[in-house]
Amino acid sequence: MAEKEPKSIDPATLEMIEKAKQDGARVVFERAESTRPCPIGADGNCCSICAMGPCRVALPRGKEETAEERRKRVGVCGATPETISARNFARMIAAGTASHGDHGRVMAKFFLAIARGEAPGYEIKDEQKLLQLALDLGVTIGDRSNEEIAIDIGELLLNEFGKQEGELLFLNRAPLKRQEIWRKHGIAPRGIDIEVAEAMHRTHMGTDQDYRDLLIAGTRTALADGWGGSMIGTDIQDIIFGTPSPVLSQINLGVLKEDEVNIIIHGHEPQLAEMMAIVAQTPEMIEYAKSKGAKGINLAGMCCTANEMLMRHGVPLAGNFLQQELAIVTGAVEAMVVDVQCIMQGLVDTANCYHTKVITTDSRAKIQGATHMGFEEHNAPESTKTIVKTAIDNFVNRGKNIRIPQHKTHMVAGFSHETINYLLGGMFRSSYRPLNDNIINGRIRGVAGVVGCNNPRTPHDVGNLAMVKELIKNDVLVLQTGCMAMASGKSGLMVPEAAAKYAGKGLAEVCETVGIPPVLHMGACIDNTRILIAATSMVKDGGLGDDISDLPAAGAAPEWMSEKAIAIGQYFVGSGVFTVFGTTWPTTGSKEVTDFLFKDIEEMYGGKWAFETDPVKAAHLMIDHIDKKRKALGIDKTGERVLFDMAMRRDLE
Ligand code: BF8
């Protein structure tokens, strides 16, 4: 990033970066300046998996090497740059899959606890989705209670983690052709944990030392995330907490309130946040807040826990990943309550400059210097009340140095797969047919998933905004999750009026007719599985080929930073999707590995990676791919609008 380039496109973020400087508080933007990335590690050329190293096998940039020099450019054990690069990449996938998998496992256990009456305060909210899942999994419904059915489902899904043989149950949700591809190439995952464990074993010193083999095993591991751990998480959360439907809310640091107790919930697993939404609004807690001089309690979200709360309850979002410390810099946050993943340790240091309490709640994610208050799901209302009271008690400790940026934007979220189905087709004939028809007739050029994180190595939210605007201007409908969805929300792209303002004519017409924004918020990162299911539904509704790889569709993460993002990208590639990442690429140090991921892999799985730091150019890589797929389907003549009758659709199929 050039020195003078603004660190963010978001005025609230810029305002708080300045305030942090004035207050002497350190935040991620400053740390990113003082700690530059290691160029050898960034390219995937550093091997640190044993004590003979770390071995750095980088070829100095711009240098040509002789065959002899190349032969010698290996680690102490002889590991080649390809092995080292592929091993590092596979380990990123394993870590991402483990994170989503552990989230899914906790949800499966929680679901069982609810069904067995061991988690008072929670219930099964979406009976329809429960019964649909029972049908999908072959669980008997009959005249059994929801709880009895849920116990069978919960046990089946929990078994997916430790399963040693066979295939994951949800693989059969994919198009048949996709399932055949997975089987043919030996990448149908057996169980979730075994794929993660095997990936870690393969990447141990002296085990798998064939880069192609490592990357193939990595793909199987990633599929255990997308069609396993993450999908289990999404489905169970919908059943317990409700499947999202459109909801209006607001986003950015301006949602914090000067005269109320501000509690931020941050992380990924929503069981505590769900209970907090109830407890924080009880008369008892509101009265308690008033007794301390506050007018009420204001709950706001950060990162993916925020997305979960937004999607189901319309709880406002304080911001995305790079804004977590900046919320504290306002001086108005009584408690930052965190669970797991994407929680910066720097929060504690920032909080030390203000009165904010950083409260960890999960036994797997403690932070030195934070207050740990373990959340007990078996005693959820009481344990949540203790946390909320701690936040209220802290209101009296606020200093005078309070500044809440006056920036917040309206957004509509809640576009689950079921909701899109319903909005497009109506309650009695819900389907993706109208979407497919509008793709076939050319009003909509294609569909793009733009997801992922923020990364301080690239200006905050800039890549997302440029890419998404370019896509919708070119009639590409955009589906979003995670921190990129929040970036679009802040920029006003997630309201229906955005269609007329930013979308191309065809996409705008469809959005206006259906009443949806041109950019749809589908949830947290774990909910990227909703995009897999939406893509599968498009295939199944006909007219757009017989596999996900045939769809005029593409994926991107312009500002990614986490290992979870690599796992997600790899499961999209392994599901047949062309996927473009920005900011940095972790295998640049090995041409062979990069070529395999960017070219060869397409012949096997129908999907491949690309890397492009310019978001507009990246958008055009996606559009070119979409056009290529349109041409292959014979629907590339977008000039005239043709109304397809059944016979014509059958011909296309
Ligand atoms: O899982 S998008 S920064 S918050 S990793 Fe993290 Fe990235 Fe945000 Fe959600 Ni996803």
Side-chain angles (χ1 to χ4, degrees):
M1 194 182 353
E3 208 49 51
K4 294 286 175 215
E5 203 169 358
K7 292 182 169 62
S8 174
I9 203 166
D10 169 38
T13 297
L14 293 174
E15 189 181 336
M16 286 303 101
I17 292 173
E18 272 314 302
K19 182 172 187 292
K21 252 187 224 156
Q22 289 160 16
D23 296 351
R26 290 198 81 198
V27 296
V28 60
F29 293 93
E30 186 211 327
R31 292 191 299 269
E33 271 177 18
S34 55
T35 307
R36 304 309 299 168
C38 161
I40 297 168
D43 287 350
N45 272 331
C46 177
C47 182
S48 62
I49 65 166
C50 84
M52 293 190 286
C55 298
R56 301 183 302 173
V57 294
L59 174 69
R61 290 204 175 149
K63 186 180 181 300
E64 293 287 318
E65 66 184 335
T66 63
E68 186 56 16
E69 283 169 336
R70 177 72 182 77
R71 192 170 72 82
K72 288 183 180 161
R73 191 161 60 84
V74 294
V76 172
C77 69
T80 61
E82 302 87 71
T83 295
I84 290 169
S85 176
R87 214 152 50 183
N88 289 337
F89 194 72
R91 282 203 165 194
M92 292 177 94
I93 294 173
T97 303
S99 305
H100 285 145
D102 217 31
H103 178 161
R105 182 198 339 271
V106 163
M107 283 305 139
K109 286 184 164 181
F110 181 49
F111 182 52
L112 276 169
I114 293 170
R116 289 173 178 149
E118 294 162 0
Y122 298 99
E123 59 184 1
I124 290 166
K125 285 231 177 84
D126 191 336
E127 185 184 40
Q128 212 180 332
K129 189 151 182 170
L130 175 85
L131 298 180
Q132 184 58 53
L133 190 54
L135 289 173
D136 291 352
L137 295 172
V139 169
T140 307
I141 297 176
D143 56 1
R144 301 166 82 208
S145 69
N146 283 349
E147 286 69 27
E148 287 171 313
I149 296 167
I151 289 172
D152 280 3
I153 292 177
E155 284 174 349
L156 264 178
L157 294 182
L158 193 56
N159 188 47
E160 291 291 88
F161 293 92
K163 204 160 78 180
Q164 302 296 311
E165 292 170 348
E167 287 179 3
L168 288 179
L169 295 169
F170 284 160
L171 298 192
N172 68 7
R173 289 179 162 180
L176 286 175
K177 188 169 168 193
R178 180 60 20 199
Q179 296 179 41
E180 284 164 17
I181 292 170
W182 290 335
R183 286 181 196 121
K184 182 178 153 203
H185 292 287
I187 54 165
R190 298 154 287 182
I192 297 156
D193 294 351
I194 192 174
E195 301 305 348
V196 174
E198 189 180 299
M200 293 307 287
H201 177 200
R202 279 172 183 261
T203 54
H204 185 274
M205 188 269 147
T207 310
D208 199 350
Q209 287 154 108
D210 175 329
Y211 75 91
R212 291 175 65 97
D213 208 43
L214 281 160
L215 296 172
I216 290 167
T219 311
R220 191 169 56 232
T221 310
L223 291 171
D225 178 352
W227 298 86
S230 282
M231 201 170 274
I232 289 171
T234 298
D235 272 35
I236 289 180
Q237 285 173 187
D238 282 356
I239 292 171
I240 301 173
F241 305 125
T243 302
S245 56
V247 59
L248 178 68
S249 189
Q250 289 186 312
I251 180 165
N252 215 340
L253 294 168
V255 304
L256 298 175
K257 293 185 179 161
E258 190 146 1
D259 49 7
E260 295 192 12
V261 172
N262 289 302
I263 304 176
I264 292 192
I265 39 179
H266 173 21
H268 285 77
E269 293 177 4
Q271 58 277 50
L272 163 62
E274 283 282 335
M275 188 53 72
M276 205 171 268
I278 298 166
V279 169
Q281 297 314 317
T282 56
E284 181 195 350
M285 285 298 108
I286 293 171
E287 277 314 306
Y288 190 61
K290 286 182 178 165
S291 77
K292 302 286 176 183
K295 286 207 170 132
I297 303 167
N298 182 40
L299 202 57
M302 184 70 67
C303 287
C304 281
T305 301
N307 280 325
E308 303 279 6
M309 299 306 292
L310 164 79
M311 293 284 283
R312 299 193 178 89
H313 304 286
V315 169
L317 299 168
N320 52 4
F321 178 66
L322 287 182
Q323 291 179 288
Q324 54 187 280
E325 293 158 318
L326 301 180
I328 293 176
V329 172
T330 62
V333 174
E334 275 56 56
M336 172 77 75
V337 182
V338 304
D339 51 87
V340 294
Q341 298 170 22
C342 302
I343 298 148
M344 291 192 200
Q345 186 163 5
L347 283 175
V348 172
D349 186 51
T350 311
N352 285 338
C353 298
Y354 304 91
H355 76 303
T356 307
K357 270 192 187 309
V358 178
I359 302 175
T360 55
T361 60
D362 192 294
S363 59
R364 294 164 298 172
K366 295 183 181 172
I367 304 176
Q368 201 182 351
T371 306
H372 186 72
M373 300 178 77
F375 170 66
E376 298 155 24
E377 66 189 28
H378 301 293
N379 187 22
E382 275 311 308
S383 90
T384 308
K385 212 192 272 182
T386 311
I387 295 168
V388 172
K389 269 189 160 179
T390 305
I392 295 171
D393 287 338
N394 199 24
F395 185 74
V396 296
N397 297 323
R398 264 198 200 177
K400 295 259 174 286
N401 180 15
I402 294 171
R403 188 174 359 134
I404 299 174
Q406 295 306 300
H407 298 283
K408 55 184 171 185
T409 312
H410 278 106
M411 66 187 293
V412 179
F415 292 95
S416 57
H417 151 70
E418 290 82 351
T419 292
I420 295 174
N421 219 8
Y422 167 71
L423 286 172
L424 290 172
M427 188 183 285
F428 299 109
R429 55 185 176 87
S430 45
S431 81
Y432 278 67
R433 189 73 253 163
L435 175 62
N436 286 19
D437 283 348
N438 278 300
I439 291 174
I440 291 166
N441 71 25
R443 279 195 185 87
I444 296 178
R445 193 171 191 157
V447 178
V450 181
V451 306
C453 325
N454 295 138
N455 185 328
R457 302 300 179 195
T458 189
H460 175 231
D461 291 349
V462 168
N464 173 74
L465 194 60
M467 175 181 280
V468 171
K469 277 188 172 171
E470 193 65 19
L471 289 167
I472 60 176
K473 188 174 89 184
N474 284 283
D475 293 315
V476 176
L477 176 68
V478 174
L479 310 178
Q480 294 207 274
T481 61
C483 291
M484 286 298 89
M486 298 190 200
S488 290
K490 278 183 278 179
S491 307
L493 296 173
M494 287 185 163
V495 287
E497 305 83 66
K501 199 166 170 192
Y502 300 108
K505 189 165 166 281
L507 176 62
E509 269 174 32
V510 176
C511 290
E512 280 161 15
T513 308
V514 183
I516 55 172
V519 185
L520 303 181
H521 192 328
M522 296 187 80
C525 271
I526 202 158
D527 298 325
N528 281 312
T529 61
R530 298 191 201 277
I531 301 180
L532 292 179
I533 296 295
T536 300
S537 299
M538 288 168 70
V539 172
K540 290 185 176 168
D541 263 320
L544 294 173
D546 54 7
D547 179 38
I548 294 173
S549 65
D550 294 331
L551 294 173
E559 300 178 37
W560 77 280
M561 66 86 200
S562 81
E563 293 166 313
K564 289 182 290 172
I566 289 290
I568 292 166
Q570 190 68 22
Y571 77 61
F572 270 96
V573 168
S575 300
V577 181
F578 173 60
T579 303
V580 190
F581 270 34
T583 309
T584 183
W585 182 254
T587 71
T588 320
S590 166
K591 185 178 176 317
E592 290 83 350
V593 170
T594 307
D595 281 353
F596 182 78
L597 293 170
F598 287 25
K599 291 182 200 145
D600 309 353
I601 206 170
E602 191 177 24
E603 276 171 34
M604 296 160 71
Y605 312 144
K608 65 176 178 179
W609 288 93
F611 170 55
E612 173 54 64
T613 53
D614 180 324
V616 174
K617 282 188 190 159
H620 280 280
L621 291 178
M622 297 161 82
I623 292 167
D624 290 349
H625 177 81
I626 284 169
D627 287 348
K628 193 174 87 185
K629 294 294 172 182
R630 292 187 66 85
K631 193 162 185 217
L633 289 165
I635 55 169
D636 51 327
K637 320 278 184 292
T638 56
E640 49 184 293
R641 306 281 188 226
V642 182
L643 199 59
F644 278 65
D645 61 20
M646 281 315 290
M648 292 163 84
R649 277 182 205 151
R650 271 194 297 273
D651 284 350
L652 282 169
E653 291 161 28

